[in-house]
Amino acid sequence: MTQPPPPPNQPPQQPGFGPPQDPSQQQPAQSSQQQPPSAPAGGPDLNKAPEPGYGYPQAPQPSAPPAAPQGPGYGYPQQQQQQPAAGYGYPGQAQPGPYGQPQQPGAYGQPQQPGAYGQPGYGQPGYGYPQPATMPMQPQPGGGGKKFNSQIAIIVSAVVAIALIVGGGVWYASSSGKDDDSKNTAGGDGKNKTNGGGGGENGSGSGSSGAQEKAPADTGSKVLFQVPAPKTPKDVTSISTAGSWLTDTVYAKSGIAEVVGYDRAKGTKKWTIDLPGPVCEGSGRTTEDNKTAIIFKPDMPTKGDPQSCTQVAVIDLETGKEVWTKTAQSGTMPISFNNVTVSGGTVAAGSTSGGAAWDVATGKQLWAPKTSDSCYDSGYAGGAKLVAVRKCGEYEARQLHIQNIDPKTGKVITEYKMDEGIEYAAVVSTDPLVVAADVGDSAGDGSGISDFFSVDNKTGKLRTRISAPGEDFAARCDAIYKIEKCSGLAVGNDRLYIATEEHDGSGESYGQTNEIVAFDLATGKQTGQRADAGDDYEIYPLRMDGNNVLAYKRPPYDKGGQIVSIDGGTFKQTTLMENPATENVRDVEARMSPDYAEILFSKGGLYMSSVYASDFSAGTDRKEYLVIAFGTS
């Protein structure tokens, strides 16, 4: 799966809060009624009996000599091994439940399946996270393995274990509450839509009702255009280019200190928004009239001054205009924001110093951080609802409050309290409300996910908890900084669709493959539906299309990638696009790994882009690209 971001090199902005600092401040550098099928050859046994729950005494694991770590996907820069993981992925420590009580069992009396308990993951940085200054890896045919040897991970993590140990053994979340400062989310109407890709949530019922994407007569695609990677400033080895968006006519992408709108068919520039510094983060949500929000730095980073992400702006993706730019303060200090989203006519941005919000149309501030609060809004997720992840208490004794809030006032509508010890959570979907967390660091692979929590938006009560061991499932979330940045999953039809981990295929090619499976968000059980990638392919959910799931198939070394539509009822796959298999095109596509790149698809157009620019290829003949776009006739 993936690795959490490296730990920050600056202290938190507010005393007592203690989460890792904004990374941008580092030095730049088949039928639902059928029985679940048996596991494919070499794949995860999705029907195996539950194992002892988290916190249950574990049999000692025999030690094994470290194996050489395998690198991530094609062309992704390798992490420096001396850089330890932060937050999830740290060595887990078994601790008793609250008040010395035994661990709470899983949903419906089933004990939780642990991941690789006590085994920290090495992995790679979270989706959309600016990459550290390291050397790139060469592309590997078929993608290769994703996980590093756990003993190597332990050694790496131990470097800073004294500084930060995130405890294990916690109780699972309780029902909603109505007390204390936790509901004082410092402070709808308006419609929003999900961008052309990502873990979008929508759809109901079954079948292809509401689907917009149709298979063309000829599914073979051609390259529409490519955008060369921009050069980084002097003395800056890596810089963020996060953010990409689609409208009916425009494909917009962040460059270095700019956002550029391209004709989505021709690739010609339609407009450019110049900024004083690079974009740190872009919302995956847009308004009905194609406005979105970004966070950017007030100046270009330098070796001595990396700058902070203090500027929040609304941009118009049709006209290419900057509608407004705002900042917020905590006390006398400007806030460096970690995430931003759009919901109900409101732009909301979160940070370690609390959250703030503005009206999309006017820029009027709707709420600001309260310096006296013992709780703070670390981030928001938007779309159909606005959900806050509110942190209360001190570090290592944290309690997270998942709040459905009014976009205009910040008033809490309903609230779900997670039990103490769960330090980070990501919001996978706001409607239905689904939250992902690595409980007790039990995922064991740095993905940020060991469990999903399905919450009733109307009451704030837990519907069910879904165990998703890291050894079996390939979704990932950056719950530390980017609250709604998750990949390898989608939510719709009151189901969670999630990619499984790679495993040996059934053919004679010795290649890897995987599948997408579905969980019922009301019962927490698998529906029995499964979409196979096919030998040598890997399949990743991108978003919902009505009741269907859109997915990208990462190809073997001699094929082009595919976009498929998976029927929400029958799980029948329909190919919507297949990319060219020529070597030059494959080479560029291979570098746009779905684990890290931004992938947007709509109306026969596929747009793949990098979330960082670097000088790694300087002095070589290798040409890097910021964007590659494909289209069918």
Side-chain angles (χ1 to χ4, degrees):
M1 290 158 98
T2 193
Q3 179 185 24
N9 59 5
Q10 295 188 16
Q13 296 177 12
Q14 288 279 88
F17 289 159
Q21 186 63 12
D22 180 1
S24 63
Q25 296 193 43
Q26 298 183 53
Q27 175 62 34
Q30 268 153 32
S31 168
S32 60
Q33 304 302 317
Q34 71 185 78
Q35 295 298 316
S38 59
D45 184 0
L46 303 178
N47 298 315
K48 64 185 178 183
E51 300 172 11
Y54 178 78
Y56 190 88
Q58 305 295 313
Q61 300 296 317
S63 61
Q70 291 185 331
Y74 303 114
Y76 191 76
Q78 185 178 10
Q79 273 282 22
Q80 296 174 345
Q81 294 194 8
Q82 69 270 22
Q83 189 76 320
Y88 51 77
Y90 266 75
Q93 292 186 333
Q95 297 180 5
Y99 309 104
Q101 299 182 28
Q103 177 66 24
Q104 181 178 346
Y108 302 94
Q110 298 299 318
Q112 180 193 6
Q113 289 180 320
Y117 174 72
Q119 301 297 315
Y122 194 78
Q124 296 83 22
Y127 175 79
Y129 182 79
Q131 311 303 314
T134 55
M135 293 302 293
M137 294 184 64
Q138 295 301 315
Q140 301 295 319
K146 292 182 181 178
K147 294 185 178 181
F148 285 88
N149 180 276
S150 60
Q151 292 195 11
I152 294 177
I154 293 173
I155 294 171
V156 174
S157 296
V159 175
V160 292
I162 296 175
L164 174 63
I165 296 292
V166 178
V170 296
W171 277 57
Y172 286 95
S174 58
S175 60
S176 61
K178 298 181 179 180
D179 55 346
D180 66 60
D181 172 67
S182 66
K183 279 203 172 183
N184 296 325
T185 299
D189 54 8
K191 296 182 179 180
N192 305 103
K193 55 187 179 181
T194 302
N195 200 6
E201 69 272 6
N202 55 39
S204 60
S206 62
S208 59
S209 174
Q212 301 296 312
E213 309 295 344
K214 308 297 181 183
D218 181 3
T219 58
S221 71
K222 64 179 180 180
V223 176
L224 299 177
F225 61 90
Q226 298 172 97
V227 178
K231 293 183 179 181
T232 59
K234 184 180 179 181
D235 296 327
V236 177
T237 57
S238 183
I239 198 165
S240 170
T241 57
S244 58
W245 304 268
L246 272 176
T247 74
D248 289 342
T249 60
V250 173
Y251 169 72
K253 175 61 186 173
S254 296
I256 294 182
E258 65 179 7
V259 179
V260 179
Y262 302 90
D263 183 289
R264 58 176 290 167
K266 301 176 183 178
T268 54
K269 288 186 179 182
K270 301 188 71 169
W271 48 258
T272 300
I273 299 174
D274 292 317
L275 301 168
V279 175
C280 307
E281 180 66 10
S283 173
R285 311 289 185 176
T286 60
T287 64
E288 285 293 308
D289 58 350
N290 293 313
K291 293 182 176 65
T292 192
I294 61 173
I295 307 169
F296 64 94
K297 298 183 177 184
D299 205 346
M300 291 300 296
T302 64
K303 187 175 182 179
D305 186 0
Q307 295 290 318
S308 299
C309 303
T310 58
Q311 313 295 301
V312 180
V314 164
I315 59 175
D316 190 320
L317 298 171
E318 287 293 346
T319 65
K321 302 296 184 183
E322 187 175 336
V323 180
W324 51 256
T325 297
K326 301 292 181 179
T327 60
Q329 290 187 323
S330 178
T332 60
M333 297 295 293
I335 295 175
S336 181
F337 290 103
N338 299 325
N339 53 77
V340 66
T341 195
V342 177
S343 178
T346 294
V347 171
S351 77
T352 60
S353 296
W358 301 264
D359 181 79
V360 169
T362 65
K364 176 184 176 181
Q365 191 169 58
L366 302 177
W367 66 80
K370 294 181 179 179
T371 57
S372 60
D373 282 352
S374 61
C375 301
Y376 68 98
D377 291 359
S378 65
Y380 302 94
K385 305 286 186 181
L386 182 59
V387 173
V389 176
R390 189 162 179 81
K391 293 193 174 188
C392 297
E394 296 184 357
Y395 192 67
E396 292 185 330
R398 193 85 70 194
Q399 185 175 46
L400 302 183
H401 300 247
I402 310 301
Q403 300 177 332
N404 176 13
I405 63 177
D406 186 317
K408 292 300 182 185
T409 65
K411 179 181 178 180
V412 177
I413 301 171
T414 58
E415 178 180 69
Y416 171 70
K417 292 182 180 180
M418 307 186 82
D419 279 325
E420 290 184 9
I422 301 177
E423 188 69 29
Y424 306 104
V427 180
V428 176
S429 165
T430 62
D431 190 21
L433 180 53
V434 181
V435 178
D438 186 358
V439 179
D441 299 320
S442 58
D445 58 0
S447 64
I449 305 172
S450 67
D451 295 81
F452 293 94
F453 300 82
S454 175
V455 180
D456 189 320
N457 245 328
K458 295 181 179 179
T459 65
K461 295 183 180 297
L462 180 68
R463 299 173 69 195
T464 190
R465 175 180 62 83
I466 299 171
S467 177
E471 62 186 359
D472 290 339
F473 298 99
R476 58 189 50 78
C477 293
D478 179 5
I480 296 180
Y481 299 114
K482 306 181 192 315
I483 299 302
E484 58 180 345
K485 285 285 186 174
C486 297
S487 63
L489 47 73
V491 173
N493 307 321
D494 207 32
R495 294 169 184 169
L496 168 67
Y497 302 97
I498 182 171
T500 67
E501 275 288 2
E502 297 174 79
H503 55 81
D504 293 339
S506 60
E508 299 179 355
S509 64
Y510 304 102
Q512 297 281 292
T513 188
N514 76 325
E515 44 276 322
I516 294 172
V517 297
F519 287 87
D520 190 307
L521 290 176
T523 66
K525 298 179 180 179
Q526 286 196 48
T527 66
Q529 298 166 306
R530 189 178 77 203
D532 296 318
D535 284 340
D536 302 330
Y537 284 87
E538 301 166 46
I539 189 168
Y540 297 81
L542 293 178
R543 65 176 175 89
M544 299 303 296
D545 176 33
N547 300 321
N548 296 346
V549 182
L550 291 181
Y552 172 72
K553 284 189 176 183
R554 190 179 186 187
Y557 72 95
D558 58 346
K559 300 284 180 62
Q562 297 178 357
I563 294 292
V564 297
S565 177
I566 304 169
D567 187 280
T570 66
F571 251 46
K572 176 183 177 181
Q573 296 183 45
T574 300
T575 301
L576 304 181
M577 172 183 286
E578 183 164 9
N579 293 334
T582 57
E583 183 176 358
N584 290 340
V585 174
R586 292 200 322 264
D587 182 60
V588 178
E589 181 180 3
R591 297 178 215 166
M592 302 295 183
S593 166
D595 292 333
Y596 317 107
E598 294 173 342
I599 301 179
L600 306 180
F601 177 85
S602 78
K603 298 182 179 179
L606 171 63
Y607 304 83
M608 310 177 76
S609 65
S610 177
V611 296
Y612 71 97
S614 71
D615 65 353
F616 298 147
S617 60
T620 71
D621 294 332
R622 177 169 172 172
K623 189 171 184 179
E624 300 291 341
Y625 290 90
L626 178 67
V627 178
I628 184 169
F630 300 91
T632 55
S633 301

